[in-house]
Amino acid sequence: MAQQQIWYGGDYNPEQWPQAVWAEDVQLMQRAGVNMVTLAVFSWGLLEVADDQWDFGWLDRIMDQLHQGGIKVDLATATAAPPAWLVRAHPEILPVAADGTRLEFGSRQSYNPSSATYRAYATRLTRKLAERYGSHPALAAWHVGNEFGCHVARDYSAESAAAFRGWLERRYGTVEALNQAWGTAFWSQHYTAFDHVEPPRATPTFPNPTQLLDFDRFSSDALLECYLAEVAVLREVTPGVPITTNFMGFFKPVDYWRWAQEVDFVCDDAYPDPADPASPGLAAMMRDLMRSLGGGKPWILMEQAPSAVNWRERNAPKPAGQYRLWSLQAVARGADGVMQFQWRQSAAGAEKFHSGMVPHAGTETRVFREVEALGAELKSLAGLVGSLCEPSRVALVLDWDSWRALEQAAVPASLDYVAQLQRWHSAFWRRGLGVDFVPPEADLSAYDVVVAPAAHVLSQAARQNLAAVPGRGGQLVVAYQTGVLDPDLHVLLGGYLGAELREALGVWVEEFAPPALVAGQWVPELALDGLAAGPATDWAEVLHAVEAEVLATFRAPGALVDGQPAVTRRPAGPGAGAGGAWYVATAPAALDALAAAILEAAGIAAPLLPAGVEVARRGGRTFVLNHALEEQRVAVDGAAVVVPGRDAAII
Amino acid sequence: MAQQQIWYGGDYNPEQWPQAVWAEDVQLMQRAGVNMVTLAVFSWGLLEVADDQWDFGWLDRIMDQLHQGGIKVDLATATAAPPAWLVRAHPEILPVAADGTRLEFGSRQSYNPSSATYRAYATRLTRKLAERYGSHPALAAWHVGNEFGCHVARDYSAESAAAFRGWLERRYGTVEALNQAWGTAFWSQHYTAFDHVEPPRATPTFPNPTQLLDFDRFSSDALLECYLAEVAVLREVTPGVPITTNFMGFFKPVDYWRWAQEVDFVCDDAYPDPADPASPGLAAMMRDLMRSLGGGKPWILMEQAPSAVNWRERNAPKPAGQYRLWSLQAVARGADGVMQFQWRQSAAGAEKFHSGMVPHAGTETRVFREVEALGAELKSLAGLVGSLCEPSRVALVLDWDSWRALEQAAVPASLDYVAQLQRWHSAFWRRGLGVDFVPPEADLSAYDVVVAPAAHVLSQAARQNLAAVPGRGGQLVVAYQTGVLDPDLHVLLGGYLGAELREALGVWVEEFAPPALVAGQWVPELALDGLAAGPATDWAEVLHAVEAEVLATFRAPGALVDGQPAVTRRPAGPGAGAGGAWYVATAPAALDALAAAILEAAGIAAPLLPAGVEVARRGGRTFVLNHALEEQRVAVDGAAVVVPGRDAAII
Amino acid sequence: MAQQQIWYGGDYNPEQWPQAVWAEDVQLMQRAGVNMVTLAVFSWGLLEVADDQWDFGWLDRIMDQLHQGGIKVDLATATAAPPAWLVRAHPEILPVAADGTRLEFGSRQSYNPSSATYRAYATRLTRKLAERYGSHPALAAWHVGNEFGCHVARDYSAESAAAFRGWLERRYGTVEALNQAWGTAFWSQHYTAFDHVEPPRATPTFPNPTQLLDFDRFSSDALLECYLAEVAVLREVTPGVPITTNFMGFFKPVDYWRWAQEVDFVCDDAYPDPADPASPGLAAMMRDLMRSLGGGKPWILMEQAPSAVNWRERNAPKPAGQYRLWSLQAVARGADGVMQFQWRQSAAGAEKFHSGMVPHAGTETRVFREVEALGAELKSLAGLVGSLCEPSRVALVLDWDSWRALEQAAVPASLDYVAQLQRWHSAFWRRGLGVDFVPPEADLSAYDVVVAPAAHVLSQAARQNLAAVPGRGGQLVVAYQTGVLDPDLHVLLGGYLGAELREALGVWVEEFAPPALVAGQWVPELALDGLAAGPATDWAEVLHAVEAEVLATFRAPGALVDGQPAVTRRPAGPGAGAGGAWYVATAPAALDALAAAILEAAGIAAPLLPAGVEVARRGGRTFVLNHALEEQRVAVDGAAVVVPGRDAAII
């Protein structure tokens, strides 16, 4: 990407419109400042009209027209939805659900990712497109598939079962190793042959947890194999063209740490609810994840809605200004592109009520006016292209195995993993701090604060990695349900956390004591005394502070945890500067007070911003985004900045 | 029907009782004023005891006994529940659900409506009954099947799939026409052969909306074919005997506008919840629908419960007086018959806890006393038989395609179509106005007020039809989500509503802005200023009044619609009298104020009645029904009428 | 069981641990006072490692080690979870759900109870174990299977269908008798051959109620056949060894009255929610059931959790003291054993978060300290072994057919059967009264008070049995929804209750009038005047007091029952002492007042205890258990006893 401008545009589906509309489209794109479109995402059926019969004429024409209009193309491999003739000729490619239901053609993603037939047809199509358009002057990048795993993240067919067995043989070598990892001595689940293993289909009661996790891991890998099969073709035929696929924010089925290694640049599809006041913070967290997945490099916001989506029970439009504000947020947090789904709102099909840059009502509309205005503003920000965000001093541990394991059934309490992350991200975001996400075994040396909430599954290497933070002067913050299991989901015995973290934190956990919901009430009702005094929710446990100071205790009359430690801190040894290891055994309502203490210990000065205000720094600019309705006054770099409601200042 | 008396009676299932009870039944029927029973609805298994082996003896006997007792028979064709021997010999007639589950024998309606085998057996049985009882003196009418589609409205078997393809070929002619209508350019759904099309079974995500709608249309037609196959036999064998089947009020799967053309008189099964204070208004709406389906002609209330039903979570009995009141309501709104399910409450089976005219506890019971009293009262109203209701000046547009499309997934907001209708019907009902339901292309010339709420799908002819109302002096009231789609579910671009309605109303809609439910709160909170001032719910949108006066505006701080038009009116041209075109962009809590303004413009004087009071006029009589607990005083035709609680006055 | 000590211990799964842990286990068991463990419940896969290939070495070793440690063994037949190799060789043993889904291997209980293959393999394994360990000195009892029916209570496969037909032929003899019992004249369900009958799989609407009930009965019997097949082997090979299996408290699928006849001693697995304030009362009811199932003989609490379970949404630990308190409760109410699931908390598998006697954190923990302390206390209570509880003067009728029928769909109102029982049990438990559960045809002569709430299904013998209570001086209390149906689920016509109970009670029921829930409100709102004055919920009906005094009437303006009898009492004839027959037509909030009146009539002096206090008497000791947080003062046998919060006094 020898990129000059911030990408601006969206998915473009000209095949849904008569060719008479195409010329108007290009004109309107120019008017709106569009410089990039994603083409052909769902065009397989109109490109390969029957087995090995091709119709590229229409795509040739629109590629040329776009080129003539100065608009570049992020060209899809068009493999996201196999056509009807292929499904009818090879019904074995249809996905199968856990209860055995075969999922029919008629929506999209009607394929089993492990299907050899699907992969053969998909790579043939990819090769055709690469050969035909690899040197087209409009081509800017390859867009492989689309939102991998969005609807069919796991397949339970016989073909997938065989692939799963192969994956297990490669992982474990012997069936005895599998037995050991899965703990099959429990419930008489011992296997004597890989051939006896099946996916975790519908079972009489809770299936084996490690089988479940391995099937999640396998399913993510099976999708990745699909992606890589197409990538291999593209690398061979068009070696110079960058390749990507669109991620979907916090998406549990697919391990983006692994996937991010295989894309030339990271892309995200982001659809927070315009009506939810918590959305700006959630969106900021998504942006930070995408930047982190790319190792800090610029990324592309590949899809967002200009206004409403169509898949919630009730779909609110974006109020005036929000489209701009959330777009600038992406740029401020590292995006080099602001793309939309989609250019022209569809007139038919299942997404016709999803907003487009050109609405049903045409161009004399609020939405199109905002689209035009943003195009102009992004052009003025071209100088940011390629620049980096201000380095983050705070890291948040994110781990797909922990996510999957924490949210399994038959656990101490049903917890929402992303909510655990968001609670902490939000505490820093409200102070204008960027946060990097990191996998548990990442190099953490750049960070002054490392927070691990519900990092449920930790390898020994990860435990050592985290435990080393205080010793080099950093603040390690471990929140509940971290380090409970090893990667085979075996419990870390002897007080949880593993020996390394128990030592680093100076604590051990005797017993989990999550409050229960009885008739809608938390039992016991939890409160904290000391640091972060006030109510607490979600979790409690019997914690022993062996070598740590107790900063807060529980108040919960009659409960096990009453008067027991809730927040502790072990200062690192005398030679370690201001390093410290914090343990947090609950979710305090007054998290800001706790965050303030942690940041103070880390020497980070970052006062709370007014409610709804976001500050982010990139490429020498400071973005002040006011998500609130009311005007806000903010002190930025010593100067007072006044920002009207739902508006932004770029300094 | 050379009918002399209001039909009174109910379903009669003598086969559930020893023959000793039959004589008592006839005696009690006479005592209760019963003059009609519906016989043999679920008797297939006892009439055709094995393939082509018949036992008509018991039916002969009860037909004769009823005749001797002076009681007529609405004789069922007995095809509603195929017997066990037939299902075991031909398991292919069993219905199949969308996920592939085959539905087993053991309840009722265990057949796929498209099954050729089922139809062959059903029509053979029909012929046998027609030949045997066609000239029996007790026979008053044929009752074909029963509640078509009640449990199995759609079937997803291979046989239905083939029938669906045939239906599509007849509808579209070419697969390219189908592609155009279904918008298959979206999501790579293009078909190259009708053979590739299947019903909308379980899919990875939202299926094609037009495929869904066509399958709804096909499924209604498949049921109608079943019905018509039996009708054809009856018309051939017993040409003079009237034919009907029982409708089920507002029943989404079956398009009663189409079906009503094929019955000799309209029948309804109506079971509003006795415990719900909203039921009288809902019941009134059902009565108005039945009268409208028959083009104003008298209809038959074919089933209601004498007291409780048995299929809700909790089944309240009818409080004293309610059975009479709701029965009189049916007569007042056009019914020539008041029939019950069922005569004698069953002692066994899945409906044994559904009330009967003869309760479990026998005849010394409140229920039987009310049954007797109503029989006598209906006899006194025999003069009404054949008479018409006072002509309605208000019409409410009802359209099955709109209903189905509005309630699909992936729409702007999940709305309840019947609730949209009821909101408006209730506004008129509370003023003692009869309302006719009309399909969107109906002749509207008889109406002063035509209301179209959520008429989501409108053909061009329908749009022209509605748009013509103001020009001839009528009030056209269009409420939100009307005219959004054409009959193929393609969006009417350029401001929704279609050019005809945009012109007539003088408005266009830029953008939908439905409030969302976030943590149980409406966001944004909506209120109206101006006409119908006060809270509003359910919907909002950005409306432009081009040639219309703005009667109310939204108040919703921070939202798109704040200060924007919510209710508008365009007066028709100077030559058009008092005609007007109203547009309503939300659901005002103060709908009565808006209705008052509309009626005033239409020159209809109809003040609000006291709460719970209903007034209806038919055949020269005025029915004043007091659904409230307390005595109410009402001015009727200039005179004050006092009606005790849960009582009626017929003037 | 020549039992000397109260059994103390738990499930022991040494196969989940390296053998190095086994020696520590035995030492810790001795330290904790453990004298009994349940072994090999889920060991099939590790004992029969392939078809007819056996590995008993590890079980030999641990049996010997336990014996050397002085610990006895309740040895499982290991048949609860067939191993993978068996399922793969014979997939036909896998269970099938009502919709046809085959339930896969990978959790536990992956077998169809009617599978001949499963039974053949299971009995062969049983024989192997019996032959090998029948004379092992550690063997105390056989533990057959495990929690029969816990996950797979009903199977809908073809093999089960055939077994069901066989069961029906044995029950009914002729298909015409089946037709009569099932009421197949309804909905054309008549059968002409047993071969046409299938299990009640997924159907279009409500299936036949008697078919459902018969399938419930058959399914309970099919599980019992599995159990008895193993018992037959054990009786043959080891005639002197007692045999049991673990029940699961109030478990609807399995009729424990029938099963209790087939165990040498009754065992229970009991897991009330530690966080629910209602749990102590529920647990007391479970204890009373177990004692009653064994005819008053001591029983074994076979499984409880030392602290938290792992299968609720949120799993609260037991607060300090609760483990002891609930254990003592079991002893006080007749248990001769207090066993836990499980000895050592698992490190892997689906139950790793279920607490164990040896927690993840080891022995320096609250849980292990409480485990040790209880072991010592139980040793001091050895004198109670074999003793009986103070005889109960109150009996509560419990009937599985009533339970199943009451909770079917398509009934007057959805009611919770166990809640009906608990309401009454609690009223007596709060006064320190033991309650015996009895089947409806039991000998009732020992009881002064017999309560029958929602005894929905009663045979004539049962009705006569209950009706005889007042005549011999007892108080019969019949609460609503009793005696509505006969054992074929045919209505008892003529006023419900059956002639015998109508006569005994002096009442008949005209009509059910359950309040409905409309928008979350009870409609009508019910209250009582007279005895038990105050609010009432759940039920109402039109009751006629023919020969009974009316003790309370309904207040429910506008409803059928307003002013009508709600509680009645018919005193028995002059020669019958203080006998009386009470009828209760609703659920009074003030049930204590009603219970007081009943007990007074019965001559039972039992004042209300302070909230949370339980008193139970056994073997000359009086247990005073304080489940409340606060200290309570109680008068026991004339003396004041002060018990701290969550503590117990044994006098």
Side-chain angles (χ1 to χ4, degrees), chain A residues 282-306:
Chain A
L282 178 63
M285 184 162 94
M286 292 170 171
R287 309 333 186 185
D288 285 357
L289 172 61
M290 292 303 136
R291 189 187 60 242
S292 304
L293 287 171
K297 285 191 303 182
W299 55 281
I300 301 289
L301 177 57
M302 187 56 96
E303 289 185 22
Q304 69 171 344

Side-chain angles (χ1 to χ4, degrees), chain A residues 15-17 42-46 49-50 81-85 88 95 99 101-110 151-152 273 275-277 307-320 341 345-353 359-362 364-367 369 629 646, chain B residues 98-100 181-183 185-192 195-209 211 408-415 456 481 484-485 489-496 508-518 522-523 538-539 557-560:
Chain A
E15 65 268 46
Q16 294 179 21
W17 300 95
F42 293 104
S43 305
W44 191 340
L46 293 175
V49 295
W85 59 260
R88 297 306 166 219
D99 68 351
T101 302
R102 204 180 68 162
L103 301 182
E104 197 29 286
F105 180 84
S107 61
R108 63 176 184 178
Q109 251 182 43
S110 300
H151 310 299
V152 182
D273 187 349
D276 188 342
S307 189
V309 300
N310 68 320
W311 39 264
R312 295 194 172 92
E313 271 285 290
R314 303 185 64 89
N315 297 289
K318 290 188 170 166
F341 182 85
Q345 187 168 5
S346 294
E351 292 192 321
K352 60 182 171 289
F353 291 118
H360 286 152
E364 295 307 304
T365 52
R366 175 191 73 89
V367 165
R369 283 189 294 273
L629 266 181
R646 284 217 193 99
Chain B
D99 68 352
W182 287 17
F186 177 80
W187 280 359
S188 191
Q189 295 173 350
H190 190 258
Y191 291 97
T192 50
D195 279 359
H196 293 168
V197 183
E198 295 284 343
R201 300 201 182 93
T203 46
T205 182
F206 306 122
N208 182 292
Q211 178 188 16
Q408 285 191 353
V411 292
S414 172
L415 299 177
H456 201 52
Q481 287 292 284
V484 174
L485 303 174
L489 305 191
H490 292 222
V491 171
L492 297 172
L493 297 173
Y496 304 107
W508 61 283
V509 177
E510 180 180 337
E511 192 173 358
F512 303 140
L517 279 168
V518 178
W522 290 105
V523 178
D538 207 39
W539 190 262
L560 285 177

Side-chain angles (χ1 to χ4, degrees), chain A residues 349-375:
Chain A
E351 292 192 321
K352 60 182 171 289
F353 291 118
H354 185 115
S355 60
M357 297 169 82
V358 182
H360 286 152
T363 55
E364 295 307 304
T365 52
R366 175 191 73 89
V367 165
F368 192 74
R369 283 189 294 273
E370 293 197 21
V371 162
E372 279 185 289
L374 181 63

